Amino acid sequence: QVQLVESGGGLVQAGGSLGLSCAASVRIFSTYPMGWFRQAPGKEREFVASISRSGGNTYYSDSVKGRFTISRDNAKNTVYLQMNSLKPEDTAVYYCAAKRGGSYALLENQYEYWGQGTQVTVSS
């Protein structure tokens, strides 16, 4: 079983930066492509970013491209999301997700394991 624990959420002003971490309790972290998703109040959960098993390939939603960076440290079983130039519309609960093998994925139903989420609030 895979357990994911996000941390690093909080309140930040528009234009500011915030970094999220997701620690995975798994035997071989490097076999799992990882992703970040978010869910704003009253909206469906949406894709934010994903990263391949080695970290060599990344993919971003158009809404965060150029502002967010996903990365991973397989030695620490951790995936990160660095968020810069934050906007009020980035306010959401952010979730990390793990996929059993294969390549990185963009769809929510392609991920088998989910963290509990961490709140990010961007004030204007």
Side-chain angles (χ1 to χ4, degrees), residues 11-75:
L11 174 65
V12 63
Q13 287 189 332
S17 298
L18 206 58
L20 304 182
S21 299
C22 173
S25 297
V26 62
R27 197 159 65 93
I28 308 176
F29 180 64
S30 60
T31 64
Y32 293 83
M34 299 294 294
W36 285 97
F37 291 76
R38 66 186 181 187
Q39 187 168 20
K43 295 187 177 181
E44 294 186 352
R45 191 153 55 183
E46 65 173 2
F47 169 78
V48 174
S50 64
I51 189 166
S52 61
R53 289 172 289 174
S54 67
N57 291 293
T58 57
Y59 195 87
Y60 300 91
S61 68
D62 288 342
S63 61
V64 307
K65 196 175 299 181
R67 299 187 299 121
F68 290 12
T69 301
I70 187 172
S71 61
R72 67 190 295 163
D73 185 337
N74 287 341

Side-chain angles (χ1 to χ4, degrees), residues 59-122:
Y59 195 87
Y60 300 91
S61 68
D62 288 342
S63 61
V64 307
K65 196 175 299 181
R67 299 187 299 121
F68 290 12
T69 301
I70 187 172
S71 61
R72 67 190 295 163
D73 185 337
N74 287 341
K76 296 183 178 179
N77 283 19
T78 302
V79 63
Y80 305 95
L81 186 68
Q82 179 62 37
M83 304 182 293
N84 298 328
S85 302
L86 282 161
K87 305 174 182 179
E89 50 263 46
D90 294 318
T91 295
V93 177
Y94 282 71
Y95 299 89
C96 73
K99 178 177 178 289
R100 277 200 302 259
S103 61
Y104 62 88
L106 312 181
L107 300 177
E108 187 176 343
N109 61 12
Q110 293 176 294
Y111 290 85
E112 288 84 10
Y113 305 103
W114 293 83
Q116 81 290 348
T118 186
Q119 177 71 47
V120 171
T121 303
V122 184

